[in-house]
Amino acid sequence: MNVNNLPQYQQQVDGSHNVLSFSSADDPAIGHEYEVFLSFSGTDIRKSITDCLYHSLIDAGVRAFRDNEELHVGEEIGPKLMKSIKQSKIGIPIFSVVYASSKWCLMEVAEMVKSMKEREQLIMPLFLDVTPDEVQHQTGSYAKAFSLHEERFGQEKVQAWRDALKEVVKLKGLELDKVANGHQGEFIKLVIAKVISELKKSYLDVGTVLVGIEDRVKELVKKLEVGIDDHVRVVGIWGMGGIGKTTLAKFVYNQIVHNFESCGFLKDIREMPGIIEAFKTYRANWSPKY
């Protein structure tokens, strides 16, 4: 298939142009300043498991954000904190014994649930020294914490926090005692692997966002018929240099990559001595999914 007449979306991002950008639900590779938002409470885990998890995420190339109390404003979540939650691809509430005692954590997890419903944000709950049942039914330390919150903030507001926790527990999370027998180092490795799997780090950086590219991406994805059968399809994108063919190919790649166990993007084939060398390069740089 030839895709011509591309100039209508040649206009690139700069200060003078109107820009068409995809929402996070359209393309999870676009528009996320942070990829992971960590929500936790307690100075003990801030300096231990949470600190190790945060730095392990950074070392793995994941853009992670951890809550900083300086971003709290009065009785509400500060604008920067709110933005970080909304823009993150994955929200990770780290449930500990003292998690529910923090109104900020409850506000954060409620915002995560909202983002999950509105923008398809993923939530990956972690359970340290509490069980999912304790969080869901708000027993033990959670019962005491919610009782104090109701006295201060009223039943209606606190009920929204209770409902948010119940929503999160329904999702597939990881329990420290069950998946790693209490070993924090092993637990962190499992979390990192799951995060990378969910983020699908094989996404390509598309750089600029081009006006009108959305329709072309949908057209090509439809032509590829991914998942309909096992047939191999080849689609050609034709046009003069500089009109966005490679960018279009990257957008399509990002849209369909999650359907495959492994993936690769081979560019600048004309600069390679032959097709055999090109595929050798592909094999050397392919990206297996976790």
Side-chain angles (χ1 to χ4, degrees):
M1 187 193 90
N2 292 333
V3 178
N4 209 340
N5 302 320
L6 301 181
Q8 67 263 35
Y9 64 80
Q10 187 176 359
Q11 187 180 45
Q12 297 188 0
V13 174
D14 61 31
S16 61
H17 294 156
N18 293 321
V19 177
L20 173 65
S21 61
F22 291 172
S23 69
S24 59
D26 293 322
D27 189 341
I30 301 172
H32 296 281
E33 181 178 354
Y34 296 100
E35 293 171 303
V36 172
F37 182 93
L38 299 176
S39 173
F40 59 93
S41 179
T43 55
D44 53 340
I45 67 169
R46 176 184 291 273
K47 295 180 180 180
S48 57
I49 186 170
T50 300
D51 188 62
C52 291
L53 175 58
Y54 172 78
H55 286 289
S56 295
L57 287 167
I58 298 299
D59 291 342
V62 177
R63 300 190 303 276
F65 182 97
R66 54 179 171 180
D67 184 9
N68 186 329
E69 293 182 356
E70 294 178 0
L71 299 178
H72 300 158
V73 179
E75 295 298 324
E76 301 297 331
I77 297 177
K80 184 177 180 180
L81 195 62
M82 182 73 76
K83 180 181 177 182
S84 299
I85 296 173
K86 289 181 177 180
Q87 289 190 340
S88 295
K89 178 74 166 61
I90 302 176
I92 301 183
I94 305 175
F95 293 116
S96 61
V97 171
V98 298
Y99 188 89
S101 63
S102 169
K103 65 178 181 182
W104 303 111
C105 287
L106 297 175
M107 290 180 187
E108 290 166 4
V109 78
E111 189 61 36
M112 287 181 201
V113 171
K114 182 179 178 181
S115 293
M116 177 182 68
K117 294 178 178 180
E118 295 179 354
R119 289 175 286 276
E120 298 184 5
Q121 182 188 71
L122 300 175
I123 301 179
M124 185 190 304
L126 305 181
F127 302 90
L128 300 185
D129 46 9
V130 292
T131 66
D133 282 344
E134 289 179 86
V135 177
Q136 181 178 15
H137 302 294
Q138 286 117 45
T139 58
S141 63
Y142 280 58
K144 182 179 179 180
F146 273 106
S147 178
L148 294 174
H149 288 318
E150 286 181 349
E151 292 179 9
R152 180 176 179 183
F153 302 107
Q155 187 172 359
E156 182 178 352
K157 187 171 186 176
V158 174
Q159 185 60 47
W161 297 345
R162 288 183 182 274
D163 294 341
L165 290 189
K166 291 178 181 179
E167 287 283 335
V168 169
V169 174
K170 294 177 184 177
L171 307 174
K172 188 175 182 180
L174 296 174
E175 293 182 61
L176 175 60
D177 287 338
K178 283 192 174 182
V179 300
N181 198 27
H183 296 287
Q184 295 187 2
E186 184 64 26
F187 185 66
I188 289 174
K189 288 181 181 179
L190 293 171
V191 174
I192 297 297
K194 185 172 176 60
V195 166
I196 292 176
S197 176
E198 294 291 354
L199 288 176
K200 302 177 180 69
K201 296 301 292 184
S202 48
Y203 275 116
L204 299 174
D205 182 6
V206 295
T208 57
V209 181
L210 305 182
V211 175
I213 198 171
E214 187 176 22
D215 292 337
R216 294 299 185 183
V217 171
K218 290 180 179 179
E219 181 183 350
L220 280 176
V221 170
K222 184 178 180 180
K223 292 289 184 182
L224 287 169
E225 298 182 326
V226 176
I228 294 180
D229 53 43
D230 295 329
H231 294 166
V232 175
R233 288 175 174 78
V234 178
V235 176
I237 305 175
W238 178 85
M240 66 180 68
I243 63 172
K245 298 188 299 298
T246 299
T247 300
L248 174 59
K250 287 182 177 180
F251 268 92
V252 173
Y253 178 95
N254 287 343
Q255 287 283 316
I256 67 175
V257 65
H258 64 279
N259 293 285
F260 301 91
E261 293 182 359
S262 61
C263 49
F265 188 88
L266 189 62
K267 62 179 181 178
D268 299 328
I269 294 180
R270 287 180 298 179
E271 299 177 9
M272 296 180 182
I275 192 64
I276 300 300
E277 292 302 316
F279 276 99
K280 284 182 179 179
T281 301
Y282 162 72
R283 288 292 299 174
N285 293 280
W286 79 327
S287 176
K289 288 165 60 177
Y290 291 77

